[in-house]
Amino acid sequence: MQEHIIVTINGEEFLAEPGQNLLDLINTTEEFVPQICYNESLGPVQTCDTCMVEVNGEIVRACGTTINKSMEVNTQMETTHVAQKEALGTILEKHELYCTVCDYNNGACEIHNTVAEFGLEHQSKPFKPKPYEVDNSGSFYRYDPDQCILCGRCVEVCQDVQVNETLLIDWEREQPRVVWDNDVPIDQSSCVSCGQCATVCPCNAIMETSMIGEAGFMTDHKPGLLRSMIDLTKKAEPGYGPLFAVSDTEAAMREERINKTKTVCTYCGVGCTFDVWTKDRKILKVEPQKDSPANGISSCIKGKFGWDYVNSEDRITKPLIRKGDHFAEVEWDEALTYVAKRFNDIKEEHGPNALGFISSSKATNEESYLMQKLARQVIGTNNIDNCSRYCQAPATKGLFRTVGHGGDSGSIDDIGEAEMVITIGSNTAESHPVLASRIKRSQKLFGQKLFVFDLRKHEMAKRADRFLQPKSGTDLVWLSAISRYIIDQGWENRAFIDKWVNDYDAYKASLVKFTMNYAEKVTGIPQETLKEIAKEIVAVDKLAICWAMGVTQHQLGSDTSTAISNLLLITGNYMRNGTGAYPLRGHNNVQGCSDFGSMPNFFPGYEKVSNKEAQKRYEKAWNTDLPTEPGKDNHEMMHAIHDGELRSLYVLGEDTGVVDSNINYVTAAFRKLDFFVVQDLFLTKTAEYADVILPAVPSLEKEGTFTNTERRIQRLYQSLDPVGESKADWKIIMEIANKMGYDWNYQHPSEIMEESASLAPLFAGVNYDLLMNYNSLQWPVAADGTDTPLLYVDGFPFDDNKAKLYPLDFELPYDTSEEYDLHVNNGRLLEHFHEGNMTYKSAGISRKTPNAFIEVSPELAKERGIQEGAEVRLTSDAGHAKGVVHITNRVRGKELYLPLNDNGKSAVNYLTDNRVDKDSNTPAYKEIAVKMEVLKKKGKSPLPTNNHRRGNPQAQIGVNVERKWDRDDYTFLGRKVKS
Amino acid sequence: MANPITNIKRKELPKEVVYERNLREVSEALSENKDAILKGIDLLATVNRNGTLDMMNAFVKHKEDALENIMQELNKPQYSATLENLSKLFLYLGELEMNELHYFTEKLNRGMEEARQADSSSKTSYMNLIKSLKDPEINRSITMLLKFLRGMGRD
């Protein structure tokens, strides 16, 4: 039992946790204390001085007071009132209240609300303009120094939550202000446009540009006119009472035309949730909430600002059928009848296994469920897969072998709580930005150790306590060598292994090969370093390992994932908060798409199609016989098309012709298909080969659920109507099934989830009521609705509840050669996603990062005699790609980096070949050897001057409020009112 | 063999079809909101008859100009003083003791009534002034005024 401390507030006694913040405690009572800089998600910033209270006879800031012993607090005395009033007055000296014509007047302005609740009637000190222009240089938000009260929340969030370290307040100049980097315009700074400063700003000082002139009824006027209206507002609305009466009415009127809808981000697997503000089809802003389970108030550039594609002119709005040299728009009925007929004909002529189905990691769980139901029930084939084949299948495999569940062991909170985080092959800060920020924060503020293993010196590598660059594809070796060394030293967690782990002896025997000498030779990491790392790993109590495509997209992807899990098992780093395995899922719903059965060998909830009991359950529910042989995965489907076995393909929301490896081979397969249906928002590269294109809708235009990397199922609500005649994927799939003679009758996605939950034990208790608004469930979900934030609390899902150590071997299957002498690494860019079909449609993003580029090391550039902006052609044994060179020391030696977010001539998959992970058929995207041909020796840099990579971050902890207190013109109000 | 193509032939809906479809949508809405529409027509007829409709139409079309003119005008110093006075007056009203004011206003009115009836040619000598102190009504007024002066002078 934790001891509580008694705190008396205005004569009434309350119980506080030791170490609790006093203001936090006061906020749980009925007492009102003004607080403008304080934000629960940020903690105390201590800049605004409005929360003055008396503690044991002394006037102090409530937010700056930690409760360590019992105390007497008074919030209502004359002196505290005077101090609070004085502080509010100082704020209004810096901030003009012209609420009625302010775009931030939406009921949540914290200055407005505080002044109103405090009952302040008059301006005690006149507003003083500051000698700075508004900074309108950025793509996404603007800063108005005249409205800024210097509360420093934006600085706090940038320095310590996002940890990009761009914003600071220059306290020493005569008129302090927020500055970007070393005082450059927003657009020229290191700002990554995560937008969190705008989210936490208590007023209109930092505001999304999409809000400006849009949110209010009277805010869309020319600047001069707006200024006169501001002046008049101030004259005509004397005192704050009438001003608030008018502006509150106007704010209430805004509710009528601005909708705020909760949604789940459509980009990466972190699963950020937020409110989307829409006015008709305009997206005014995206606002993460403190109750957002995965992200809290955080967001990245794509989730906060990357929604322009939804309103793109390029959206397909009617079904299209190939007619000779063009696609013709047709009515839905014609398109669906045609699809149903062709599916039936091909099934009749060639059997059900001549048809293949590819689900989308961008679509909902319900849509994945229906797609596999279409394949299995209506067609009778297990030829169903999804893009997790391209990325995640090896991690899932490795976890199935050892611990039994193919998902993250815990939550993002657990990663934040770990004493040590190791990332392997993960460009976390660009691929999972919000999750990376949690690690960056824990490392910066709470002493978490961060070890990064990667080829490339990306942001996480630069921040790491240890950064190691093993030779490509050799992670299995150092992992196993460290495991062996730990066992040799007798440092393994004996108690944990005895109680919870099987197959120790066989595993130990398999490690014979992995000596320190061998590891040094194969990986290039000195053995002394490896030994130190082993020692440090066993010295911490809580270790979490995060990995991504740098591990999985190799021929030994599954084995390497297994080696990670083995290491965690022998050190006892499972079953507790702050520990475990975190295969960071790439796309918003790549976890859920596999979870809900779009897999050739699994029913929903990872029950094997060969499992008799599961098969019977589905046969009964669907009233049909089901195939028991596993079907073909994506990769095998491409082979089968070339072999003439697979004749029809239905691809939902995947640009397979860009994202699969060896796209020359894939597009050649498309040409051979008898019938090809693509369902998408746009006429993608893949859709160009289709016979029928069905117009689908983006996440904002439908309901459903997504499952993030934490196994967290979250609901999205519909914020916009479908464009034209486009439809939600689940409706289209249902209509195809019905055209084929079935009678599916789902009125709402909740009914699909209900059916799936009734059939898959893993989701037994999932239902939409438990997922209302910001509520979420982490699977497994028991029938009574209990979910599982931390896996393996009561053991592992095997017969005897014990995990398994899995013996491994290693042969280096890939290397560069004399001819193909360069290694191409590839991965994501923060600001773009996937093949770029969505993010390149954002003008704001494209002006900062207009295209992909090839990163070349300074050494290699010198050796080949090329400079920034050179043009090169890369040739692998599978194909060519062309691109513009950016020279950077993020890469070293003969390694190149090519962002995968491009669908033009720079698309990396012109280079990748048919090599795959031997256990999961995931393409070995990360094993490309190329030769480089110089086309042009130098040119214009592919990285514009306003790209954040060119900025100069200024790291500091928090807002440095002491520097404010040191100013000559600052007096602590507590002292002032006392004297 | 399907070659990649990017050309889309849009299905142009015949004008008549679009017209029909729109018309149907509108008449459905009319039928569903019959009462409101009829009242609306009545209102429209009224504002049309008295010329307000034309004025509103013109004003809405020139909203930005009108607003600019009004703002420019209202922000001139002379209005500014009025606006500020208005707001001060508003606050001043709140401070006045209305019951007291009412009492005095009544007396003041009676005084004015009496004064109006007075012959403007008649004169008052010192003696008359002293004598009139004996008049209880005048004496009450003088006493009251003296008390008022004392109150006004108090810090």
Side-chain angles (χ1 to χ4, degrees), chain A residues 221-222 225 228-229 231-232 235 238 318 320 322 324-329 331 671 683 688-689, chain B residues 1-11 63-64 67-68 71 74-75 80 83-84 87 91:
Chain A
H221 300 291
K222 287 179 284 183
L225 180 52
S228 356
M229 285 172 73
D231 291 340
L232 190 74
K235 282 177 200 158
K318 258 176 112 61
L320 302 172
R322 174 183 288 262
D325 65 346
H326 66 271
F327 289 111
E329 286 190 343
E331 297 303 322
R671 288 169 194 262
L683 183 57
E688 289 176 13
Y689 295 88
Chain B
M1 287 295 276
N3 288 317
I5 49 174
T6 53
N7 187 11
I8 298 178
K9 269 209 182 126
R10 305 272 170 203
K11 191 172 180 179
K63 182 184 118 190
E64 194 84 1
L67 205 57
E68 197 162 342
M71 287 300 147
L74 287 182
N75 268 311
S80 155
L83 280 168
E84 277 162 32
S87 54
L91 296 172

Side-chain angles (χ1 to χ4, degrees), chain A residues 316-320 329-332 693 695 725-726, chain B residues 11 13:
Chain A
I316 305 172
T317 56
K318 258 176 112 61
L320 302 172
E329 286 190 343
V330 298
E331 297 303 322
W332 269 105
I693 306 174
E725 293 179 26
S726 58
Chain B
K11 191 172 180 179
L13 276 183

Side-chain angles (χ1 to χ4, degrees), chain B residues 6-69:
Chain B
T6 53
N7 187 11
I8 298 178
K9 269 209 182 126
R10 305 272 170 203
K11 191 172 180 179
E12 293 295 329
L13 276 183
K15 240 182 174 175
E16 302 80 53
V17 177
V18 178
Y19 177 77
E20 277 299 320
R21 200 184 280 175
N22 289 345
L23 214 57
R24 200 176 330 122
E25 212 175 303
V26 172
S27 60
E28 267 168 25
L30 285 179
S31 150
E32 276 164 28
N33 301 289
K34 191 189 104 186
D35 290 346
I37 296 290
L38 289 178
K39 278 183 204 164
I41 290 175
D42 191 32
L43 175 71
L44 218 52
T46 314
V47 289
N48 187 35
R49 219 174 299 129
N50 62 23
T52 315
L53 189 59
D54 290 337
M55 196 179 82
M56 272 160 58
N57 191 16
F59 184 77
V60 171
K61 281 183 184 154
H62 294 274
K63 182 184 118 190
E64 194 84 1
D65 300 335
L67 205 57
E68 197 162 342
N69 290 338

